[in-house]
Amino acid sequence: MDDPQIIEALDINGDAIVPGTVLRYINTDTVGRAVDIKEEDGGIWVLLDATDLYYNVEVLVITDPSALKEKKDEEKSDFNAREYAKRFESDDLTDDIGQITGGG
C-alpha cells in the first residue's frame, strides 16, 4: 500500500501550511483554517473552511488564530444589527417625519 503523496504548501512568506493552519486570503482578508491541500493545474491549492473554496498558496498568508475570532465577532454584530432592524420594522412608521426632524 502506497502512502499518499505529501504536498509541500508554502504561504507567500515561505512558511509551511498544513491542515489546521489559520490563513488570510490577501485579496479580501478572508480568514479560515486550511482543510485540504491539493496540487492541480500547475499550482498548489488550499481549501479554507470559511468559504469552502480553494485558494492558490501564492495569495495566502499564515495569520494569528485570533483573526478567526475577530471575523466571527464581526459576523455576529452584523447579524444582531439585522435582527434589531427587523424587530423594529413596521408599517406604522410610514408617517412623514419632516415635522419631527424639522425638515422642510
Side-chain angles (χ1 to χ4, degrees), residues 37-83:
I37 300 169
K38 70 178 182 178
E39 190 168 5
E40 189 173 290
D41 298 328
I44 298 174
W45 303 84
V46 176
L47 177 66
L48 292 186
D49 64 352
T51 57
D52 205 28
L53 296 172
Y54 279 91
Y55 296 85
N56 190 299
V57 293
E58 295 173 359
V59 292
L60 295 173
V61 63
I62 294 175
T63 192
D64 191 85
S66 66
L68 285 173
K69 182 181 180 334
E70 291 170 16
K71 286 292 184 184
K72 287 182 182 176
D73 287 345
E74 287 174 20
E75 291 168 7
K76 185 177 179 182
S77 295
D78 181 50
F79 174 77
N80 289 345
R82 282 185 276 131
E83 286 301 307

